[in-house]
């Protein structure tokens, strides 16, 4: 299925909105801290009709150039 399992907590983000529309984000990295490029199944992604990565900027193990390779 492409699903990775582990015993880390789920990541979460809370958005706080002020009266003037300004937003602040609180993020708990959780299990996304365990994702590294060597754990990515590029064949699985390549067979997908649609690919969505929710929050590439909050996945520290693949931030920067690795995320570019994943999305290519």
């Amino acid at each position: 299925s492409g699903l990775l399992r582990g015993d880390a907590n789920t990541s979460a983000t809370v958005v706080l909105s002020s009266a003037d529309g300004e937003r602040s984000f609180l993020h708990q990295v959780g299990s996304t801290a365990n994702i590294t490029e060597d754990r990515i199944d590029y064949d699985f992604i390549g067979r997908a009709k649609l690919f969505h990565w929710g929050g590439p900027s909050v996945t520290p193990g693949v931030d920067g150039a690795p995320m570019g390779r994943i999305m290519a």
Side-chain angles (χ1 to χ4, degrees), residues 13-62:
T13 302
V14 175
V15 181
L16 306 172
S17 298
S18 66
D20 65 358
E22 199 63 33
R23 298 180 302 164
S24 297
F25 298 85
L26 305 174
H27 183 71
Q28 170 60 40
V29 177
S31 61
T32 58
N34 298 330
I35 300 172
T36 55
E37 189 174 11
D38 62 317
R39 298 186 77 184
I40 303 297
D41 184 344
Y42 285 94
D43 291 331
F44 180 78
I45 293 171
R47 291 190 307 273
K49 292 180 182 178
L50 176 68
F51 178 71
H52 170 76
W53 191 292
S57 63
V58 291
T59 312
V62 292

